[in-house]
Amino acid sequence: MPIKPIYRVLSLWLCIYLSSCSSGSDSATPKNDACGIIGLKSIQTKIVNGTACADGRSPIVMISTTDLGLTNSDICTGTLISANAVITAGHCVPLEPAGVSVVVQGRNVSAREIRVHPQYRVDQGQGLVYFDVAIIFLKEAISLPTLPIVASQQLNGNEIFSIYGYGLDEKNRSGQLRSGQILATSITPTHLFHDFDGIGSNTCGGDSGGPLVFTFTNESGITRSGLVGLTSTGTDLECRPGDSASYTNLQNPEILSFILGNVRAAQTI
C-alpha cells in the first residue's frame, strides 16, 4: 500500500506538537535547547517538550499561507538566506505568491515571488517528497541576520543537528520559535533521516521548511553553524517515539545550485 507523506505543515485545525524529552549534557546526546547555536537567548519558561527561543533578531521566521478562497490557513517555518529571500519547503507554498507572507517581529511581510525547485515531486510509495525546497522572495528587505549554507563539510550518519520551528507545542500553542536537537539516523544524496526514539527532539506540525542546522569547527579552529537541511515529512501525525522524520538535503548538487542560482546573496561556509 502506498504511504502518504505526513507533511510538517500546521493547518489551524491540527492538534500536533513539537516533541522533545532529553536535556542531557553528553555531547553525543541531542539536547532540547539549541537557541544559543544561532545566537538567540533561551526563554526560561515551563515548556516541557523543547526550548523556546527569544526570536526578536532571529534568521528563522514563521510563514503564513492562506488559499485564495480564504478557507484554510497554514503555518510553516523558513530561514532568511538573504535580506529578501526565505528558504522553506516546497510543499509549504503555492506557486502564486498571493496569500503568502512572512511574519517578522509581529508584522506580515508579503511575498513578491515564489520559486519551487523544478524537480519537486511527491513519492507516495516511499512517503517522501523529493527536492522539497522553495524560495520566497519578499516585497521588502528585512534587517535581520541570515544563515549560511554548509557546503564545505561532508555529512555522515550519527551526527547531531539542531532543529527549529514555529509549530504547536504539547499544549497546542503555536507561533513561538522553539529549538531542539536530533541524532541523524541516515543520510542519502537527497534526504537526511531521523528515527525519533524519545531522546532529544522531533519536528512536527508547523515546522515544515524549518532549518536543520549543523555546527562544526573549521580548519582555523572557529566554530560555525549553517543550514544543511529543511524539515519535510514524517510518518506519525502526532510525532511520537517511533516517528521517522525526513529532511531535504541541501548539499545535494542540484538543490544547492538551485539555491545559489536564484539567491546570489546567499552565503556558503
Side-chain angles (χ1 to χ4, degrees), residues 8 192-196 202-203 231 233-235 243-247:
R8 298 313 202 197
L192 298 94
F193 295 95
H194 165 230
D195 294 331
F196 181 51
N202 191 27
T203 51
T231 299
T233 67
T235 58
D243 178 42
S244 181
S246 68
Y247 302 81

Side-chain angles (χ1 to χ4, degrees), residues 1-4 124-127:
M1 177 183 294
I3 302 172
K4 184 178 181 179
Q124 296 284 3
Q126 292 183 308

Side-chain angles (χ1 to χ4, degrees), residues 55-77:
D55 62 352
R57 294 290 299 164
S58 172
I60 303 164
V61 295
M62 184 168 68
I63 298 169
S64 175
T65 64
T66 304
D67 62 26
L68 296 180
L70 301 179
T71 58
N72 186 50
S73 296
D74 287 321
I75 291 174
C76 277
T77 302

Side-chain angles (χ1 to χ4, degrees), residues 159-222:
E159 288 183 311
I160 290 177
F161 300 91
S162 301
I163 53 176
Y164 303 85
Y166 282 89
L168 288 171
D169 64 13
E170 72 283 357
K171 294 183 179 180
N172 297 331
R173 298 171 299 192
S174 63
Q176 171 66 60
L177 179 62
R178 308 177 80 219
S179 74
Q181 291 187 325
I182 66 167
L183 181 65
T185 306
S186 62
I187 299 174
T188 71
T190 56
H191 292 88
L192 298 94
F193 295 95
H194 165 230
D195 294 331
F196 181 51
D197 59 3
I199 298 175
S201 304
N202 191 27
T203 51
C204 206
D207 298 323
S208 272
L212 190 67
V213 173
F214 182 56
T215 301
F216 63 96
T217 302
N218 64 18
E219 295 179 352
S220 301
I222 300 173

